Amino acid sequence: MNLMLELVLQAGCSLRGSSRSFEVLVSSLNLPDRIPSASTGRLWLLRLGYYKLTRPKEKAADWILFVDHTTQLDEVKCLLILGLRLSRLPPKGQALTSEDLEPMR
């Protein structure tokens, strides 16, 4: 499970691509034949996101909120609010990554 999520979150693989990567690993390393499907990876990713969204946040006065309202396909809209503690701001010249940000509810 962790390897599939790392392929998606860290390596930028799609869910289908990460499932296919497992197929390559299983065949080349003679591992057991249980390969997670893309829909299984999607469920794991949703569970991880739900946990990160609902877990208790640190109480602090230095939270910065990033608000993004995006219109996707058709009538589907998404409001995303991410938080970052000012004390955990990366050094000057270093870009923010998804690991730096915390989904807020």
Side-chain angles (χ1 to χ4, degrees), residues 2-66:
N2 189 45
L3 179 58
M4 187 165 195
L5 292 177
E6 290 293 321
L7 285 170
V8 173
L9 297 172
Q10 300 297 323
C13 247
S14 66
L15 290 167
R16 287 186 184 140
S18 62
S19 181
R20 289 186 187 126
S21 296
F22 262 93
E23 288 178 29
V24 171
L25 286 172
V26 164
S27 65
S28 64
L29 299 176
N30 294 325
L31 297 174
D33 291 334
R34 298 192 67 187
I35 300 168
S37 67
S39 60
T40 299
R42 181 179 176 272
L43 288 175
W44 290 340
L45 195 59
L46 287 171
R47 288 181 181 138
L48 176 64
Y50 181 74
Y51 163 74
K52 288 190 83 167
L53 184 64
T54 58
R55 71 180 173 184
K57 309 295 187 262
E58 289 181 74
K59 294 188 183 221
D62 66 341
W63 280 100
I64 303 169
L65 297 180
F66 299 88

Side-chain angles (χ1 to χ4, degrees), residues 55-76:
R55 71 180 173 184
K57 309 295 187 262
E58 289 181 74
K59 294 188 183 221
D62 66 341
W63 280 100
I64 303 169
L65 297 180
F66 299 88
V67 180
D68 182 29
H69 181 261
T70 305
T71 303
Q72 291 288 323
L73 299 172
D74 299 325
E75 297 296 318
V76 178

Side-chain angles (χ1 to χ4, degrees), residues 73-90:
L73 299 172
D74 299 325
E75 297 296 318
V76 178
K77 297 179 181 179
C78 178
L79 173 64
L80 178 65
I81 303 173
L82 298 171
L84 170 70
R85 295 273 316 272
L86 190 57
S87 59
R88 295 197 182 123
L89 193 63

